[in-house]
Amino acid sequence: MSKVKIAFFCQNCGTQYSKWQGQCNACKEWNTIVEELVQKEEKVAWKTTTATSKAVTKPLLVKEIDTAQEIRLNTTDNELNRVLGGGLVPGSLTLLGGEPGIGKSTLLLQIALKLPYKTLYVSGEESQKQIKMRAERITSNGDNCYILTETKTQNIFRQILEIEPDIVIIDSIQTLHTDYIESSAGSISQIRECTAELIKFAKETNTPVLLIGHITKDGTIAGPKILEHMVDTVLQFEGDRNHVYRILRSLKNRFGSTAELGIYEMQGSGLREVDNPSEILISHKDEQLSGTAIATTLEGMRPLMIEIQALVSTAVYGTPQRSTTGYNAKRLNMILAVLEKRAGFRLGTKDVFLNVTGGISVEDTAIDLAVVAAILSSNEDIAIAEGFCFAGEVGLSGEIRPVNRIEQRIQEAEKLGFTTIFVSKHNKISLKNTGIKIVLVAKIEDVVSELFG
């Protein structure tokens, strides 16, 4: 029996210490360092039947390495395929994180039920009856999906040897524990060791593994930071539980781009893929209302049309309110200062409320021009003409700055039936024979004269 080793780990960042201390030197958090018993036996958690006869890997010259395209497994989910870069890579480890109740388990369960491959869904958080109830709500299919409720990795690998699945799903990595580490499930050492065992299994058997991970109150993946380094792909499932739309982002992807994203709509029967999110994020109303403007934005590589709503009213109290939903509050204050200083609009004594419809948050500075248009429309109480949209960044001197991939934004606006788009005159546009009118503006005054002049 190996000697019991005691170590101290920071529960926030995973840094290891030889003794206890109040503050973590790495992340500067207080009272996050806890004692753990680390007792690792000289055993391997995963053994394949061919482990003894496996050939030793030899070094190869770069020109000798086979560059044949890796065959990916189709997940039957177009949005997930897009984010992964075309499907699941055999032998890969994918980590999916998100807020509690956002739909992580629902997403992977409905994919497992629809996959044409033999799939093992391992749950350490729910019973088989609970999963069965959710599965019946999602789909009646599930001929290739096996459900296992287990938390010990040794028992999981024993069932894997018996079933020999093509894909393994673990819900969640924080509930697993191994006999080779003497600490509680969800601790730093347990998460690290269980993940290492799953990586060894995935690489030796060429089986893709999907993990569900918890997140901290700051929105980062719970557990040691090394967890994100160990896996091949890190996906973030985000959205507001009060809204029906969910966004799937890629934070790390060794097999594809991290610029793609998938959009889902939460329904009673599960998550529905949203093929054209622009039509959903734009309100359909019978009459034109003041204070609304349409912006063209990019989420990753995907162009979207979103609606910006603004309300400008006289401040009832001494200090005017500045409230935003889905938009940076500091950037709103900057734009209001530019409108006051450069364009002469007296907004310092007025309340300004800004909302991005659909419950999504946008960081793209190209929606600045639409924010300006919505604020001025509400302030003047004049509706912006139907068919108008905007793509431009506002500078501190009141100039309209160019934005990237403007042609892709223009094509998306034209595809959705918009007639006029306002862009910076400094953008280089090489599109020919477009059906949409392109209005080039240099300053905020140009936009005001075009809209309300």
Side-chain angles (χ1 to χ4, degrees):
M1 195 73 175
S2 58
K3 185 179 179 181
V4 174
K5 179 185 175 184
I6 297 176
F8 295 86
F9 292 94
C10 172
Q11 294 288 75
N12 185 56
C13 67
T15 306
Q16 182 175 346
Y17 297 92
S18 59
K19 61 180 181 179
W20 184 88
Q21 59 189 57
Q23 185 186 31
C24 175
N25 296 332
C27 64
K28 306 301 180 184
E29 290 289 326
W30 286 91
N31 301 322
T32 57
I33 298 174
V34 296
E35 178 184 351
E36 290 185 12
L37 293 175
V38 180
Q39 178 183 340
K40 188 164 183 179
E41 301 178 16
E42 294 299 323
K43 296 180 181 179
V44 290
W46 168 255
K47 284 188 178 181
T48 60
T49 54
T50 59
T52 55
S53 61
K54 192 172 71 171
V56 178
T57 305
K58 296 181 179 180
L60 295 174
L61 291 171
V62 174
K63 61 182 180 181
E64 295 175 347
I65 299 174
D66 184 15
T67 57
Q69 185 68 32
E70 183 72 57
I71 299 175
R72 292 178 182 251
L73 301 178
N74 182 12
T75 64
T76 70
D77 187 301
N78 294 329
E79 299 297 304
L80 181 59
N81 283 343
R82 177 189 288 111
V83 176
L84 290 174
L88 281 173
V89 176
S92 65
L93 211 71
T94 302
L95 176 65
L96 174 65
E99 292 276 352
I102 203 71
K104 304 183 297 295
S105 301
T106 302
L107 175 64
L108 292 190
L109 179 60
Q110 74 177 34
I111 290 171
L113 294 171
K114 296 175 183 176
L115 280 171
Y117 314 103
K118 188 188 294 185
T119 307
L120 177 62
Y121 186 96
V122 182
S123 177
E125 299 182 341
E126 297 176 292
S127 67
Q128 290 178 321
K129 291 183 179 179
Q130 286 177 298
I131 298 172
K132 169 70 172 177
M133 291 167 60
R134 184 191 295 152
E136 288 179 338
R137 192 181 79 238
I138 294 172
T139 179
S140 57
N141 189 20
D143 299 334
N144 298 313
C145 183
Y146 292 85
I147 304 297
L148 173 66
T149 54
E150 181 60 62
T151 57
K152 187 187 290 189
T153 57
Q154 284 70 33
N155 294 341
I156 293 171
F157 290 134
R158 197 172 294 120
Q159 296 300 324
I160 287 174
L161 276 173
E162 185 175 330
I163 298 174
E164 296 183 350
D166 299 316
I167 296 174
V168 176
I169 297 173
I170 305 292
D171 181 13
S172 64
I173 186 63
Q174 273 80 11
T175 61
L176 296 190
H177 68 93
T178 176
D179 286 340
Y180 308 131
I181 294 290
E182 291 289 337
S183 59
S184 60
S187 62
I188 300 290
S189 51
Q190 281 286 3
I191 292 174
R192 185 165 48 209
E193 182 64 21
C194 292
T195 305
E197 292 179 9
L198 290 167
I199 288 176
K200 185 176 178 63
F201 155 71
K203 302 305 178 186
E204 289 190 0
T205 62
N206 221 25
T207 304
V209 178
L210 293 160
L211 307 176
I212 290 178
H214 299 167
I215 67 170
T216 64
K217 62 182 180 180
D218 299 325
T220 57
I221 300 291
K225 195 68 178 176
I226 195 173
L227 174 62
E228 297 180 51
H229 292 290
M230 294 170 73
V231 300
D232 298 307
T233 306
V234 179
L235 304 180
Q236 183 86 358
F237 204 39
E238 56 190 47
D240 190 341
R241 280 183 291 176
N242 298 321
H243 292 83
V244 296
Y245 301 112
R246 307 283 189 269
I247 293 178
L248 182 66
R249 301 180 189 272
S250 175
L251 305 182
K252 170 190 174 183
N253 193 352
R254 288 175 178 162
F255 313 112
S257 170
T258 57
E260 294 288 354
L261 86 162
I263 299 180
Y264 296 87
E265 181 183 4
M266 178 61 84
Q267 297 180 338
S269 58
L271 291 158
R272 183 185 71 84
E273 303 168 43
V274 178
D275 298 323
N276 190 359
S278 296
E279 293 183 352
I280 297 174
L281 297 174
I282 298 175
S283 303
H284 301 282
K285 44 191 179 292
D286 298 328
E287 57 179 320
Q288 286 299 106
L289 302 173
S290 63
T292 62
I294 307 299
T296 65
T297 183
L298 289 173
E299 282 289 345
M301 303 291 291
R302 199 173 194 178
L304 297 176
M305 307 295 292
I306 59 172
E307 182 176 324
I308 309 293
Q309 294 180 335
L311 177 62
V312 179
S313 62
T314 303
V316 179
Y317 305 103
T319 304
Q321 299 183 63
R322 304 282 188 259
S323 177
T324 65
T325 304
Y327 187 71
N328 191 316
K330 292 182 179 179
R331 193 155 190 88
L332 173 63
N333 290 330
M334 183 203 79
I335 288 176
L336 293 175
V338 170
L339 288 174
E340 182 108 13
K341 176 75 174 179
R342 303 296 183 185
F345 289 93
R346 301 302 174 201
L347 301 172
T349 59
K350 296 187 177 181
D351 294 335
V352 179
F353 303 92
L354 194 75
N355 177 44
V356 179
T357 60
I360 66 171
S361 297
V362 182
E363 299 291 337
D364 188 6
T365 55
I367 72 171
D368 288 353
L369 193 55
V371 170
V372 168
I375 291 172
L376 296 182
S377 172
S378 178
N379 185 54
E380 302 293 327
D381 202 17
I382 300 175
I384 295 173
E386 189 175 2
F388 282 23
C389 60
F390 305 85
E393 180 183 347
V394 176
L396 288 178
S397 59
E399 82 278 14
I400 309 302
R401 301 176 59 82
V403 295
N404 63 338
R405 292 174 37 210
I406 187 65
E407 296 181 356
Q408 195 173 352
R409 300 172 193 264
I410 294 173
Q411 289 171 345
E412 177 73 8
E414 184 180 1
K415 185 174 73 175
L416 291 175
F418 287 90
T419 58
T420 306
I421 183 169
F422 288 76
V423 300
S424 170
K425 76 170 188 178
H426 302 294
N427 267 118
K428 296 179 181 179
I429 303 170
S430 59
L431 290 175
K432 304 293 183 182
N433 301 322
T434 55
I436 186 172
K437 180 183 176 183
I438 302 174
V439 179
L440 303 176
V441 291
K443 293 186 176 181
I444 292 178
E445 292 91 324
D446 301 340
V447 181
V448 174
S449 62
E450 288 283 348
L451 292 177
F452 315 111

